[in-house]
Each structure stands twice: as C-alpha cells, then as structure tokens.
Amino acid sequence: MTADDSFDRLDDDDYPAYTMGRAAEMLGTTQGFLRSLGEARLITPLRSAGGHRRYSRYQLRIAARARELVDHGTPIEAACRIVILEDQLEEAQRLNTEYRRTTESTNP
C-alpha cells in the first residue's frame, strides 16, 4: 500500500484510523467507556499490528450515540441495545427504499 492509498482510505467510514486515546478524546469520554462498548459487543475495534485498538468513523458515530443515551441516564447495556436496534431499523428502511425504487422502475 502506498501513501496515496492510505490517504484515500481515510475517506472510508470503515477504515480503522483512530487509536483508542484519540477516539476517547474525540468523543469526550474515557477509554474505559470505549472498552465497555466492546465488552457489550456494540462495537468491535480492529487491532493494529501491535495489538492496539483502532476505531473507524462509523464506530465512533455509534459510540457517540451510546454516550448520548448514557449521559441521559440510560444504563449502558440498554443504550447498546437501543443503538443496535436503531441501526437495524435504519438499514431496513434503506433496503425498503431501494426495493421500492427497483420495483417502480421495473413496473411503471
């Protein structure tokens, strides 16, 4: 992989570009909070060659939503479940929209 390839990957929402420390700093939370999200299986960070946790922008958005719920008093386990269900609903709605678009274009 060349340096140019690395820069291109930074636009990828799934590219694990952020260390645990940087991710926690960006979210305004602790590294322990991020570890607890991993333990609850809300996000599973990738590991660097040295074994360090690395997070993607997509994972940081999910973690930010969980933090928002926890900050409003929702227990972390419940917050994780809510975020998972929200994510599943968003995906189902996206698939429905895509299906409708396909159906309408084949059956005018």
Side-chain angles (χ1 to χ4, degrees):
M1 178 182 294
T2 67
D4 289 338
D5 292 339
S6 296
F7 287 120
D8 290 342
R9 303 234 22 219
L10 292 176
D11 290 335
D12 182 355
D13 267 359
D14 296 317
Y15 181 68
Y18 304 97
T19 63
M20 177 179 272
R22 181 69 180 127
E25 180 183 311
M26 290 171 67
L27 295 172
T29 191
T30 65
Q31 293 181 16
F33 179 76
L34 289 173
R35 277 193 288 282
S36 68
L37 295 181
E39 290 168 7
R41 298 183 190 263
L42 178 62
I43 56 176
T44 303
L46 293 171
R47 298 283 181 153
S48 68
H52 301 282
R53 291 175 178 90
R54 307 285 293 191
Y55 296 89
S56 68
R57 285 189 298 193
Y58 173 74
Q59 289 172 322
L60 294 183
R61 280 196 302 275
I62 292 204
R65 176 63 179 136
R67 178 172 185 238
E68 179 184 337
L69 291 167
V70 169
D71 286 350
H72 286 99
T74 305
I76 194 161
E77 296 82 12
C80 290
R81 185 66 182 140
I82 289 167
V83 172
I84 289 167
L85 291 170
E86 287 174 343
D87 198 47
Q88 289 173 342
L89 176 60
E90 183 180 321
E91 177 66 8
Q93 289 172 331
R94 186 191 65 74
L95 290 171
N96 272 343
T97 300
E98 188 177 304
Y99 173 75
R100 284 189 185 121
R101 204 174 302 129
T102 302
T103 302
E104 289 171 0
S105 68
T106 58
N107 297 324

